[in-house]
Structures are given as C-alpha cells and as structure tokens.
Amino acid sequence: MNHKIAVVGLGYVGLPLAVEFGKHFSTTGFDINTDRIHELRSYKDRTREMSPDELKSSTNLVYTSEIDDLKECNTYIVTVPTPIDKFNRPDLTLLKKASETVGKVISRGDIVIYESTVYPGATEEDCVPVIEQTSGMRYNVDFFCGYSPERINPGDREHRVVNIKKVTSGSTAEIAQVVDNLYRTIIQAGTHLAPSIRVAEAAKVIENAQRDINIAFINELAMIFARMDIRTRDVLDAARTKWNFLGFEPGLVGGHCIGVDPYYLTHKAESLGYIPQIILAGRRLNDGMGRYVATQLIKMMVKKSHRITDTNILVLGITFKENCPDIRNSKVIDIIRQLDDFGCNYDVYDPFADPYEVKKEYGIDLITDENNLRSSYEGIMIAVAHAEFRNLNLNKIKAPDCVIYDVKNFITDADEYL
C-alpha cells in the first residue's frame, strides 16, 4: 500500500508521530487550532517536544486546519486527547469529532488507526459507528481500522517515539499486518502485533493503571512513615538493594495518562457489572495527595509558630510533571486550593507553563520570572522538579523559620519530604 498519511491532532502524541512519518511518507498534519498550525509552519512547537531542526527534518510533512486537505490521504491516524469529565467519566467528545472528520473525507479501502487511550472496545463500539454514519461506508468492507496506543512520555528526551516499542493491531489479519509494517518503518525499537484491537486497547489502559496502583502504594507508605518520623526516601533506598524491588517514588499523579486512564478501565468494568476495588482505591488515594502535602506543610508551619492566615507561601511548579509545559490535570492545583482554604497568600512560579493557559484553566496569575518573587516566604512547596529550580537561590526568598516541603525529594536541605 502506498501510504498517504494524515495525522489528526498535533499535540504531544500527534506531532512527533507526524514528524517521523513525514520523513518517509507524504504526511499531512491536521489540527483544528489554527494558531497551532501557524506556529508549526514557522517551526515552533509550544509543547517543546520537537526542536525547530527536528521539525525542519520532516521534508514530506505539511500542516493544515482545512478538512478538504485530507481527502487525498488514505491512512488516517487519530491522536486526539481522551480526558475525563468532572465526575471522572470518560469524555470521548474529541475522539468522536475526529472520527466524524475522518468520515467526511475517507475513501473506499482507506485505513483509520487510533492512538488515543480508550477502554477496550471503544474503537469498534464508539468510533467506527461515527465513521460509518458520516461516510455511508461499511466497516471491514469499505474501510478498515487499526489501533496502536501512544507511548509518548512528555518532557523525556531519552525515550522518544522511535525508540519505544509499539503495540499494533488491525480489524482484519491482513490490515493488522499492514498497520504493523507501517509502524515498523519509523519505530526503531520494533513492534508487537496484538491479536485484536480490543487486546491492544486493554494493554494500553492497564499500563498506566498498573503504575497508578504502584505509586498509590508508595504514597500510602509515605503517609505511614511520616507518622513514624522516618524519611521515605531512606526506606526506598534500602529496599532497592533487593533485586526485584520495584523502584516507584511517591508523588502527585496527574497529567493526561496515569491520572486519567484508570478511570477508562473502571468505567468499562462498571458497565459490565463489576465494581473494581484495587484500581479505584489507588485512584482515591492518589487524587488526595495534593491536599495531603498542603496540610503537612501547614502543620509544620504551625509548629514553627507561623500565623497561617495571610501567610506568604511559594509553590514551585504548576505543570503536571517536570521539564514539561503541560498543565492538563495537574494535581498541583489541589495543593493551591487547599492553601487557599487555609487563608494563605500564595505565589506560583513556573518558567515552563504558559501564563495565559494557567489563567484560563485555573484562574491563577502565574509568575514566570524569578525576579518577580517576594523577598520573604514563610513556606515553600516544591511541587514540580523542574531542572531550572536547582539554580534558584531559596535563601534569598526565605523568611525566618521558613518551612520547605519537598514533594519530589529534589533538594537535600528541605524541612520535610513526601
């Protein structure tokens, strides 16, 4: 098959994929955000995943926000976000809209490959009917599907799309092989061909559910050891001397993967009459960590006789992880809301995040320049381990008896660690 590829959605997942495919195939990157398209045409990536040189290296890639530009393509790869709503229920709105977009331009014999994280069955039960209704074509007769779950790790310069093994699948045995061969063109780490789309969907969703549960266990240990006045890091260092101990760290579990994907699995399980126990317990614990660490900081400040109401606290970091501008589902906001409930004054400093996006999403006026920080904070919460924070001179901004709480075990002289 002479692939002419369309990548629908140019975020953290879609853009790196489009760039790599654009080195080998005629590729069209599509996104409804016209500002994003203009930026990419100028070789600027706001996610910081791709450098200008990397964008320029993809000589067969063009960007567009016009649906008609997709009509010449024959292989559509959908990489739009799959978030949850305020009730922790899967929100497939963007996925269904992308499917409708594909349905408007698809031709007989074309292949649609989904990369967005979903619950097992969503591709064929939720997406395929939208394509059929929009296009008037029949699944596995006029068009075909594949599923190859994304494995992007934002901010990670070592594990890139080409050197992470890729799971592939297809709606028929023949199409599965076509999909697998397509990804083998760009994935240096190789591929794993799953026996069905549902298996590939399930494999993706349990990857992050497994991490979520393990982190929840370590977070619970951190709570226990705090009561014993034992530093969790010291315990973990000792435990890691055993060859088969799993090296998970305590912390905030946010973002658009680990903090979201387990709810897709539990939603599907509940629709089948099964109420998950361990998965939901892990989710509840991890969802409460922001409020927990904020309360721990306040307790320590009380012990040092600080007046909590109107006290000045600095929160370092608002993104969901280090060295990454992504603020989606950041659990740092839970820390901030808890501090607000205590009546504290807080500043949030993050040189990676976009101030406009932070204001729009969370209503917070972000500080992006350390020169705009106050000269004295009674409390400092290190919430995100951005590399730039290592150069921040905390002594210049600490008030007497300032309490430093380090969520990430980032510095050696904090007063308390998670």
Side-chain angles (χ1 to χ4, degrees), residues 255-296:
H256 52 92
C257 289
I258 301 177
V260 170
D261 296 353
Y263 287 121
Y264 274 75
L265 184 57
T266 58
H267 168 81
K268 186 64 175 181
E270 289 170 352
S271 73
L272 298 172
Y274 179 79
I275 308 299
Q277 303 298 314
I278 295 176
I279 300 173
L280 287 176
R283 276 285 73 233
R284 285 191 295 270
L285 196 146
N286 283 340
D287 274 346
M289 288 307 293
R291 294 184 295 276
Y292 169 78
V293 297
T295 301
Q296 293 302 105

Side-chain angles (χ1 to χ4, degrees), residues 79-355:
T79 60
V80 297
T82 45
I84 52 176
D85 64 18
K86 62 180 181 180
F87 302 108
N88 294 328
R89 297 176 304 199
D91 182 358
L92 299 181
T93 302
L94 295 176
L95 196 61
K96 290 182 178 180
K97 286 184 177 180
S99 299
E100 185 177 346
T101 295
V102 171
K104 292 177 180 178
V105 295
I106 197 172
S107 299
R108 188 177 180 85
D110 289 356
I111 301 174
V112 186
I113 305 168
Y114 289 89
E115 290 218 2
S116 307
T117 302
V118 291
Y119 46 75
T123 297
E124 295 173 295
E125 297 167 9
D126 297 281
C127 300
V128 166
V130 175
I131 298 176
E132 287 183 318
Q133 183 177 1
T134 307
S135 67
M137 296 185 190
R138 293 170 297 169
Y139 179 49
N140 279 342
V141 175
D142 302 312
F143 73 94
F144 306 88
C145 282
Y147 184 80
S148 181
E150 60 89 2
R151 280 179 169 170
I152 296 294
N153 189 27
D156 189 338
R157 306 303 298 175
E158 178 182 355
H159 301 98
R160 312 297 297 278
V161 64
V162 296
N163 53 29
I164 302 174
K165 195 162 189 175
K166 203 85 161 67
V167 174
T168 64
S169 63
S171 56
T172 69
E174 180 182 358
I175 294 301
Q177 196 59 63
V178 171
V179 172
D180 192 69
N181 290 339
L182 172 64
Y183 279 97
R184 280 183 177 272
T185 305
I186 65 167
I187 305 298
Q188 299 169 7
T191 61
H192 173 88
L193 181 55
S196 70
I197 287 176
R198 289 166 64 88
V199 168
E201 291 169 327
K204 169 57 183 178
V205 79
I206 71 165
E207 289 176 17
N208 288 330
Q210 182 188 66
R211 287 184 56 79
D212 192 42
I213 292 168
N214 277 283
I215 296 171
F217 172 62
I218 301 298
N219 277 339
E220 188 165 58
L221 293 180
M223 294 179 181
I224 295 171
F225 294 142
R227 291 171 178 262
M228 300 178 180
D229 198 26
I230 299 175
R231 188 180 174 188
T232 304
R233 169 56 63 87
D234 293 337
V235 177
L236 295 178
D237 287 344
R240 285 193 187 101
T241 60
K242 190 169 187 287
W243 76 92
N244 60 352
F245 183 82
L246 302 180
F248 289 91
E249 298 276 348
L252 306 176
V253 184
H256 52 92
C257 289
I258 301 177
V260 170
D261 296 353
Y263 287 121
Y264 274 75
L265 184 57
T266 58
H267 168 81
K268 186 64 175 181
E270 289 170 352
S271 73
L272 298 172
Y274 179 79
I275 308 299
Q277 303 298 314
I278 295 176
I279 300 173
L280 287 176
R283 276 285 73 233
R284 285 191 295 270
L285 196 146
N286 283 340
D287 274 346
M289 288 307 293
R291 294 184 295 276
Y292 169 78
V293 297
T295 301
Q296 293 302 105
L297 170 65
I298 295 300
K299 286 181 178 179
M300 294 195 66
M301 294 178 66
V302 169
K303 289 180 180 179
K304 288 193 174 184
S305 301
H306 286 292
R307 180 175 179 268
I308 301 305
T309 303
D310 293 328
T311 193
N312 296 322
I313 296 178
L314 174 63
V315 178
L316 292 176
I318 186 66
T319 63
F320 90 91
K321 66 178 296 187
E322 65 275 4
N323 306 321
C324 169
D326 195 347
I327 64 168
R328 288 177 295 173
N329 194 35
S330 172
K331 294 304 177 183
V332 180
I333 191 62
D334 295 337
I335 296 175
I336 295 168
R337 286 170 178 160
Q338 188 77 342
L339 295 176
D340 194 41
D341 286 345
F342 278 112
C344 306
N345 297 321
Y346 58 83
D347 289 335
V348 183
Y349 170 50
D350 194 317
F352 275 85
D354 184 309

Side-chain angles (χ1 to χ4, degrees), residues 20-58:
E20 292 303 324
F21 276 126
K23 297 175 183 178
H24 302 272
F25 304 97
S26 173
T27 304
T28 301
F30 174 84
D31 201 289
I32 60 174
N33 186 336
T34 55
D35 290 340
R36 175 74 163 152
I37 296 300
H38 292 320
E39 289 172 359
L40 292 174
R41 286 174 178 170
S42 301
Y43 307 112
K44 177 184 177 182
D45 174 24
R46 66 176 68 176
T47 70
R48 305 192 188 190
E49 289 299 300
M50 307 301 294
S51 69
D53 287 342
E54 287 174 319
L55 293 175
K56 291 175 183 178
S57 70
S58 191

